[in-house]
Amino acid sequence: MRRLTVLYDAQCPLCVHVRHWLLRQRALVPMDLVPAGSVEARRRFPALDHAATLEEITVVGDGGQVYRSADAWIVCLWALAEHRAKAHWLASPTGRPLARMTVLAASRWRAATAGPTCDGGTCGTPGRSG
């Protein structure tokens, strides 16, 4: 894999924070960070379920691989120089429960802190209805 595209909710403060954190890291595999549900995301991945990308983090590999939820977080860490070993551990049977719990906690925090314009904890992207 030579490049990843991370689809993130641009209206979610936690998602935007993680985006900025990813951009500050030294990447072994370059990442394009694209707002989920955006015109650009739809142009790049016309066959993808874009409503689902607003529900959970989605990462697309340059070979068409699609990672969601805990697997998406793990592949993002795998792409980073200082976090690849942690990603390998999180992908193992021992680490997988922690990866799932982390994603679940982030999802619950996101739903609990969703602003008044968000529906069910999911905020859309600017210019996108629904």
Side-chain angles (χ1 to χ4, degrees), residues 22-43:
L22 286 169
L23 289 171
R24 290 191 309 267
Q25 306 304 305
R26 186 170 65 88
L28 297 172
V29 178
M31 287 184 250
D32 296 324
L33 292 115
V34 176
S38 67
V39 171
E40 178 63 13
R42 291 173 191 279
R43 183 192 66 77

Side-chain angles (χ1 to χ4, degrees), residues 2-20:
R2 291 178 286 190
R3 186 165 214 89
L4 296 170
T5 301
V6 179
L7 301 174
Y8 71 96
D9 187 342
Q11 297 302 306
C12 163
L14 176 61
C15 305
V16 171
H17 174 77
V18 170
R19 174 192 180 273
H20 290 296

